Tab-separated table of all heavy atoms in Angstrom:
chain	number	residue	atom	x	y	z
A	109	ALA	N	3.380	46.120	2.107
A	109	ALA	CA	3.805	47.472	1.716
A	109	ALA	C	5.330	47.577	1.658
A	109	ALA	O	5.868	48.452	0.975
A	109	ALA	CB	3.245	48.488	2.705
A	110	MET	N	6.048	46.688	2.360
A	110	MET	CA	7.523	46.754	2.366
A	110	MET	C	8.146	46.165	1.103
A	110	MET	O	9.342	46.322	0.858
A	110	MET	CB	8.073	45.988	3.569
A	110	MET	CG	8.054	46.793	4.846
A	110	MET	SD	8.876	45.904	6.165
A	110	MET	CE	10.611	46.177	5.764
A	111	LEU	N	7.352	45.460	0.300
A	111	LEU	CA	7.895	44.798	-0.893
A	111	LEU	C	8.223	45.813	-1.985
A	111	LEU	O	7.536	46.842	-2.085
A	111	LEU	CB	6.856	43.802	-1.454
A	111	LEU	CG	7.002	42.350	-1.009
A	111	LEU	CD1	6.958	42.220	0.485
A	111	LEU	CD2	5.917	41.501	-1.643
A	112	PRO	N	9.234	45.542	-2.821
A	112	PRO	CA	9.462	46.444	-3.960
A	112	PRO	C	8.209	46.470	-4.840
A	112	PRO	O	7.480	45.473	-4.919
A	112	PRO	CB	10.650	45.817	-4.696
A	112	PRO	CG	10.888	44.484	-4.086
A	112	PRO	CD	10.176	44.413	-2.782
A	113	GLU	N	7.978	47.603	-5.490
A	113	GLU	CA	6.702	47.806	-6.183
A	113	GLU	C	6.398	46.713	-7.223
A	113	GLU	O	5.269	46.217	-7.291
A	113	GLU	CB	6.685	49.187	-6.846
A	113	GLU	CG	5.297	49.533	-7.330
A	113	GLU	CD	5.219	50.953	-7.858
A	113	GLU	OE1	5.872	51.236	-8.880
A	113	GLU	OE2	4.501	51.752	-7.235
A	114	TYR	N	7.431	46.309	-8.016
A	114	TYR	CA	7.147	45.315	-9.065
A	114	TYR	C	6.630	44.011	-8.453
A	114	TYR	O	5.723	43.371	-8.982
A	114	TYR	CB	8.388	45.057	-9.938
A	114	TYR	CG	9.522	44.374	-9.207
A	114	TYR	CD1	9.612	42.983	-9.151
A	114	TYR	CD2	10.494	45.112	-8.545
A	114	TYR	CE1	10.626	42.349	-8.453
A	114	TYR	CE2	11.518	44.496	-7.858
A	114	TYR	CZ	11.581	43.118	-7.804
A	114	TYR	OH	12.590	42.493	-7.106
A	115	ALA	N	7.185	43.648	-7.288
A	115	ALA	CA	6.768	42.390	-6.657
A	115	ALA	C	5.367	42.549	-6.054
A	115	ALA	O	4.499	41.685	-6.219
A	115	ALA	CB	7.766	41.988	-5.583
A	116	ARG	N	5.160	43.683	-5.396
A	116	ARG	CA	3.870	43.925	-4.743
A	116	ARG	C	2.731	43.952	-5.761
A	116	ARG	O	1.710	43.271	-5.587
A	116	ARG	CB	3.919	45.260	-3.970
A	116	ARG	CG	2.700	45.530	-3.123
A	116	ARG	CD	2.889	46.785	-2.275
A	116	ARG	NE	3.284	47.958	-3.048
A	116	ARG	CZ	2.471	48.684	-3.785
A	116	ARG	NH1	1.194	48.384	-3.868
A	116	ARG	NH2	2.917	49.732	-4.459
A	117	LEU	N	2.954	44.677	-6.872
A	117	LEU	CA	1.884	44.798	-7.869
A	117	LEU	C	1.583	43.446	-8.521
A	117	LEU	O	0.423	43.088	-8.701
A	117	LEU	CB	2.253	45.838	-8.943
A	117	LEU	CG	2.351	47.281	-8.426
A	117	LEU	CD1	2.753	48.230	-9.554
A	117	LEU	CD2	1.042	47.734	-7.779
A	118	GLY	N	2.632	42.692	-8.829
A	118	GLY	CA	2.443	41.378	-9.453
A	118	GLY	C	1.678	40.437	-8.531
A	118	GLY	O	0.772	39.710	-8.973
A	119	LEU	N	2.032	40.459	-7.267
A	119	LEU	CA	1.368	39.566	-6.309
A	119	LEU	C	-0.086	39.986	-6.097
A	119	LEU	O	-0.988	39.144	-6.060
A	119	LEU	CB	2.126	39.579	-4.975
A	119	LEU	CG	3.443	38.797	-5.004
A	119	LEU	CD1	4.406	39.293	-3.946
A	119	LEU	CD2	3.163	37.310	-4.812
A	120	GLU	N	-0.295	41.299	-5.978
A	120	GLU	CA	-1.670	41.771	-5.764
A	120	GLU	C	-2.559	41.446	-6.972
A	120	GLU	O	-3.731	41.116	-6.817
A	120	GLU	CB	-1.673	43.278	-5.451
A	120	GLU	CG	-1.227	43.534	-4.024
A	120	GLU	CD	-1.015	45.008	-3.681
A	120	GLU	OE1	-1.048	45.858	-4.597
A	120	GLU	OE2	-0.800	45.292	-2.489
A	121	GLU	N	-1.964	41.524	-8.161
A	121	GLU	CA	-2.718	41.187	-9.370
A	121	GLU	C	-3.124	39.707	-9.347
A	121	GLU	O	-4.258	39.350	-9.679
A	121	GLU	CB	-1.872	41.499	-10.606
A	121	GLU	CG	-2.668	41.431	-11.891
A	121	GLU	CD	-1.795	41.592	-13.124
A	121	GLU	OE1	-0.602	41.923	-13.001
A	121	GLU	OE2	-2.318	41.341	-14.230
A	122	ALA	N	-2.184	38.857	-8.925
A	122	ALA	CA	-2.477	37.411	-8.867
A	122	ALA	C	-3.583	37.132	-7.840
A	122	ALA	O	-4.447	36.277	-8.059
A	122	ALA	CB	-1.211	36.643	-8.520
A	123	VAL	N	-3.565	37.871	-6.742
A	123	VAL	CA	-4.624	37.704	-5.726
A	123	VAL	C	-5.970	38.059	-6.350
A	123	VAL	O	-6.958	37.333	-6.210
A	123	VAL	CB	-4.333	38.593	-4.485
A	123	VAL	CG1	-5.547	38.676	-3.560
A	123	VAL	CG2	-3.124	38.060	-3.725
A	124	GLU	N	-5.977	39.167	-7.094
A	124	GLU	CA	-7.210	39.640	-7.712
A	124	GLU	C	-7.707	38.625	-8.773
A	124	GLU	O	-8.887	38.296	-8.815
A	124	GLU	CB	-6.928	41.016	-8.355
A	124	GLU	CG	-8.133	41.746	-8.897
A	124	GLU	CD	-9.286	41.865	-7.913
A	124	GLU	OE1	-9.035	41.982	-6.700
A	124	GLU	OE2	-10.459	41.809	-8.378
A	125	LEU	N	-6.770	38.128	-9.597
A	125	LEU	CA	-7.148	37.207	-10.675
A	125	LEU	C	-7.685	35.872	-10.157
A	125	LEU	O	-8.426	35.185	-10.847
A	125	LEU	CB	-5.947	36.942	-11.594
A	125	LEU	CG	-5.534	38.105	-12.497
A	125	LEU	CD1	-4.179	37.832	-13.151
A	125	LEU	CD2	-6.598	38.339	-13.578
A	126	THR	N	-7.287	35.486	-8.944
A	126	THR	CA	-7.702	34.174	-8.418
A	126	THR	C	-8.801	34.304	-7.351
A	126	THR	O	-9.150	33.335	-6.696
A	126	THR	CB	-6.495	33.415	-7.807
A	126	THR	OG1	-5.971	34.194	-6.714
A	126	THR	CG2	-5.398	33.177	-8.815
A	127	ARG	N	-9.296	35.542	-7.210
A	127	ARG	CA	-10.220	35.880	-6.121
A	127	ARG	C	-11.472	34.994	-6.069
A	127	ARG	O	-11.954	34.638	-4.994
A	127	ARG	CB	-10.641	37.341	-6.308
A	127	ARG	CG	-11.271	38.019	-5.134
A	127	ARG	CD	-11.164	39.509	-5.350
A	127	ARG	NE	-12.040	39.954	-6.425
A	127	ARG	CZ	-13.287	40.352	-6.241
A	127	ARG	NH1	-13.792	40.372	-5.031
A	127	ARG	NH2	-14.021	40.746	-7.259
A	128	ASN	N	-11.982	34.617	-7.256
A	128	ASN	CA	-13.239	33.855	-7.275
A	128	ASN	C	-13.039	32.338	-7.313
A	128	ASN	O	-14.006	31.595	-7.410
A	128	ASN	CB	-14.098	34.287	-8.476
A	128	ASN	CG	-14.543	35.729	-8.304
A	128	ASN	OD1	-14.874	36.138	-7.196
A	128	ASN	ND2	-14.497	36.507	-9.381
A	129	ASN	N	-11.774	31.892	-7.248
A	129	ASN	CA	-11.542	30.444	-7.236
A	129	ASN	C	-12.015	29.880	-5.896
A	129	ASN	O	-11.855	30.514	-4.858
A	129	ASN	CB	-10.058	30.133	-7.462
A	129	ASN	CG	-9.617	30.591	-8.847
A	129	ASN	OD1	-10.456	30.875	-9.700
A	129	ASN	ND2	-8.320	30.659	-9.063
A	130	SER	N	-12.597	28.677	-5.973
A	130	SER	CA	-13.263	28.178	-4.761
A	130	SER	C	-12.671	26.879	-4.227
A	130	SER	O	-13.202	26.266	-3.324
A	130	SER	CB	-14.749	27.968	-5.064
A	130	SER	OG	-14.858	27.076	-6.159
A	131	GLY	N	-11.529	26.446	-4.820
A	131	GLY	CA	-10.895	25.228	-4.310
A	131	GLY	C	-9.991	25.560	-3.135
A	131	GLY	O	-10.388	26.293	-2.233
A	132	MET	N	-8.763	25.056	-3.172
A	132	MET	CA	-7.847	25.321	-2.058
A	132	MET	C	-7.444	26.802	-1.993
A	132	MET	O	-7.324	27.455	-3.027
A	132	MET	CB	-6.587	24.457	-2.250
A	132	MET	CG	-5.618	24.547	-1.097
A	132	MET	SD	-4.230	23.419	-1.315
A	132	MET	CE	-3.166	24.374	-2.400
A	133	THR	N	-7.248	27.314	-0.782
A	133	THR	CA	-6.690	28.654	-0.614
A	133	THR	C	-5.210	28.508	-0.282
A	133	THR	O	-4.855	27.833	0.685
A	133	THR	CB	-7.409	29.421	0.524
A	133	THR	OG1	-8.799	29.488	0.205
A	133	THR	CG2	-6.858	30.824	0.684
A	134	LEU	N	-4.369	29.123	-1.132
A	134	LEU	CA	-2.925	29.096	-0.916
A	134	LEU	C	-2.526	30.454	-0.335
A	134	LEU	O	-2.671	31.485	-0.991
A	134	LEU	CB	-2.208	28.847	-2.255
A	134	LEU	CG	-0.688	28.967	-2.253
A	134	LEU	CD1	-0.048	27.941	-1.332
A	134	LEU	CD2	-0.140	28.797	-3.671
A	135	ILE	N	-2.051	30.431	0.901
A	135	ILE	CA	-1.718	31.690	1.595
A	135	ILE	C	-0.199	31.809	1.662
A	135	ILE	O	0.475	30.933	2.201
A	135	ILE	CB	-2.314	31.672	3.029
A	135	ILE	CG1	-3.825	31.453	2.956
A	135	ILE	CG2	-1.977	32.967	3.763
A	135	ILE	CD1	-4.367	30.628	4.100
A	136	ILE	N	0.317	32.889	1.090
A	136	ILE	CA	1.766	33.092	1.139
A	136	ILE	C	2.055	34.124	2.231
A	136	ILE	O	1.550	35.254	2.170
A	136	ILE	CB	2.314	33.620	-0.210
A	136	ILE	CG1	1.806	32.780	-1.400
A	136	ILE	CG2	3.835	33.684	-0.194
A	136	ILE	CD1	2.505	31.498	-1.627
A	137	ALA	N	2.850	33.730	3.211
A	137	ALA	CA	3.273	34.657	4.262
A	137	ALA	C	4.549	35.339	3.781
A	137	ALA	O	5.572	34.701	3.580
A	137	ALA	CB	3.505	33.904	5.567
A	138	LEU	N	4.440	36.638	3.594
A	138	LEU	CA	5.501	37.410	2.940
A	138	LEU	C	5.792	38.651	3.742
A	138	LEU	O	4.863	39.418	4.028
A	138	LEU	CB	4.958	37.863	1.585
A	138	LEU	CG	5.480	37.218	0.337
A	138	LEU	CD1	4.797	37.812	-0.862
A	138	LEU	CD2	6.969	37.374	0.241
A	139	SER	N	7.032	38.877	4.090
A	139	SER	CA	7.358	39.995	4.969
A	139	SER	C	6.461	39.882	6.204
A	139	SER	O	5.893	40.861	6.674
A	139	SER	CB	7.133	41.325	4.235
A	139	SER	OG	7.564	42.393	5.016
A	140	TYR	N	6.333	38.643	6.666
A	140	TYR	CA	5.418	38.341	7.761
A	140	TYR	C	6.205	37.981	9.011
A	140	TYR	O	7.224	37.297	8.938
A	140	TYR	CB	4.523	37.147	7.377
A	140	TYR	CG	3.690	36.644	8.548
A	140	TYR	CD1	2.451	37.199	8.826
A	140	TYR	CD2	4.191	35.655	9.404
A	140	TYR	CE1	1.710	36.763	9.926
A	140	TYR	CE2	3.459	35.219	10.496
A	140	TYR	CZ	2.222	35.779	10.749
A	140	TYR	OH	1.500	35.356	11.835
A	141	SER	N	5.698	38.422	10.150
A	141	SER	CA	6.113	37.843	11.423
A	141	SER	C	4.923	37.974	12.356
A	141	SER	O	4.121	38.897	12.243
A	141	SER	CB	7.349	38.534	12.002
A	141	SER	OG	6.981	39.721	12.655
A	142	SER	N	4.832	37.021	13.256
A	142	SER	CA	3.701	36.989	14.165
A	142	SER	C	3.690	38.196	15.098
A	142	SER	O	2.643	38.745	15.412
A	142	SER	CB	3.816	35.725	15.002
A	142	SER	OG	2.577	35.155	15.137
A	143	ARG	N	4.876	38.594	15.550
A	143	ARG	CA	4.924	39.739	16.479
A	143	ARG	C	4.471	41.012	15.753
A	143	ARG	O	3.794	41.848	16.331
A	143	ARG	CB	6.338	39.883	17.051
A	143	ARG	CG	6.650	38.754	18.009
A	143	ARG	CD	8.000	38.917	18.640
A	143	ARG	NE	8.216	37.832	19.602
A	143	ARG	CZ	9.322	37.680	20.309
A	143	ARG	NH1	10.323	38.540	20.163
A	143	ARG	NH2	9.442	36.683	21.150
A	144	TRP	N	4.835	41.150	14.483
A	144	TRP	CA	4.357	42.291	13.674
A	144	TRP	C	2.829	42.241	13.608
A	144	TRP	O	2.144	43.245	13.828
A	144	TRP	CB	4.967	42.222	12.266
A	144	TRP	CG	4.259	43.111	11.277
A	144	TRP	CD1	4.463	44.452	11.093
A	144	TRP	CD2	3.194	42.723	10.395
A	144	TRP	NE1	3.591	44.926	10.144
A	144	TRP	CE2	2.800	43.892	9.693
A	144	TRP	CE3	2.541	41.524	10.114
A	144	TRP	CZ2	1.781	43.882	8.742
A	144	TRP	CZ3	1.525	41.512	9.164
A	144	TRP	CH2	1.162	42.683	8.492
A	145	GLU	N	2.308	41.063	13.292
A	145	GLU	CA	0.861	40.896	13.127
A	145	GLU	C	0.117	41.221	14.429
A	145	GLU	O	-0.899	41.936	14.416
A	145	GLU	CB	0.596	39.441	12.725
A	145	GLU	CG	-0.870	39.094	12.567
A	145	GLU	CD	-1.083	37.595	12.357
A	145	GLU	OE1	-0.365	36.796	12.989
A	145	GLU	OE2	-1.965	37.232	11.573
A	146	LEU	N	0.651	40.728	15.556
A	146	LEU	CA	-0.016	40.962	16.843
A	146	LEU	C	0.041	42.447	17.223
A	146	LEU	O	-0.928	43.010	17.736
A	146	LEU	CB	0.608	40.085	17.937
A	146	LEU	CG	0.237	38.600	17.804
A	146	LEU	CD1	1.162	37.720	18.645
A	146	LEU	CD2	-1.211	38.344	18.202
A	147	LEU	N	1.178	43.086	16.907
A	147	LEU	CA	1.289	44.525	17.183
A	147	LEU	C	0.261	45.326	16.383
A	147	LEU	O	-0.389	46.241	16.910
A	147	LEU	CB	2.686	45.022	16.805
A	147	LEU	CG	3.723	45.032	17.910
A	147	LEU	CD1	5.078	45.428	17.354
A	147	LEU	CD2	3.304	46.021	19.008
A	148	GLN	N	0.121	44.968	15.091
A	148	GLN	CA	-0.872	45.655	14.247
A	148	GLN	C	-2.265	45.506	14.849
A	148	GLN	O	-3.044	46.460	14.913
A	148	GLN	CB	-0.911	45.065	12.828
A	148	GLN	CG	0.329	45.227	12.010
A	148	GLN	CD	0.803	46.653	11.985
A	148	GLN	OE1	0.059	47.566	11.651
A	148	GLN	NE2	2.035	46.860	12.386
A	149	ALA	N	-2.577	44.286	15.285
A	149	ALA	CA	-3.905	44.009	15.831
A	149	ALA	C	-4.135	44.845	17.093
A	149	ALA	O	-5.179	45.503	17.238
A	149	ALA	CB	-4.031	42.521	16.145
A	150	VAL	N	-3.127	44.864	17.974
A	150	VAL	CA	-3.269	45.599	19.246
A	150	VAL	C	-3.448	47.096	18.963
A	150	VAL	O	-4.297	47.762	19.568
A	150	VAL	CB	-2.037	45.336	20.148
A	150	VAL	CG1	-2.025	46.271	21.344
A	150	VAL	CG2	-2.027	43.881	20.603
A	151	LYS	N	-2.689	47.627	18.008
A	151	LYS	CA	-2.788	49.064	17.686
A	151	LYS	C	-4.189	49.398	17.163
A	151	LYS	O	-4.772	50.421	17.531
A	151	LYS	CB	-1.752	49.451	16.611
A	151	LYS	CG	-0.367	49.643	17.168
A	151	LYS	CD	0.556	50.117	16.056
A	151	LYS	CE	2.005	49.992	16.488
A	151	LYS	NZ	2.944	50.074	15.385
Side-chain angles (χ1 to χ4, degrees):
M110 278 186 78
L111 265 57
E113 191 174 65
Y114 67 89
R116 187 174 53 77
L117 294 179
L119 285 156
E120 284 172 351
E121 191 186 351
V123 168
E124 187 51 33
L125 288 169
T126 61
R127 196 161 70 91
N128 294 321
N129 296 345
S130 57
M132 185 175 82
T133 302
L134 172 62
I135 303 145
I136 311 281
L138 252 180
S139 186
Y140 171 87
S141 81
S142 221
R143 290 183 177 179
W144 164 83
E145 178 188 38
L146 287 164
L147 267 175
Q148 295 309 306
V150 169
K151 280 184 194 164

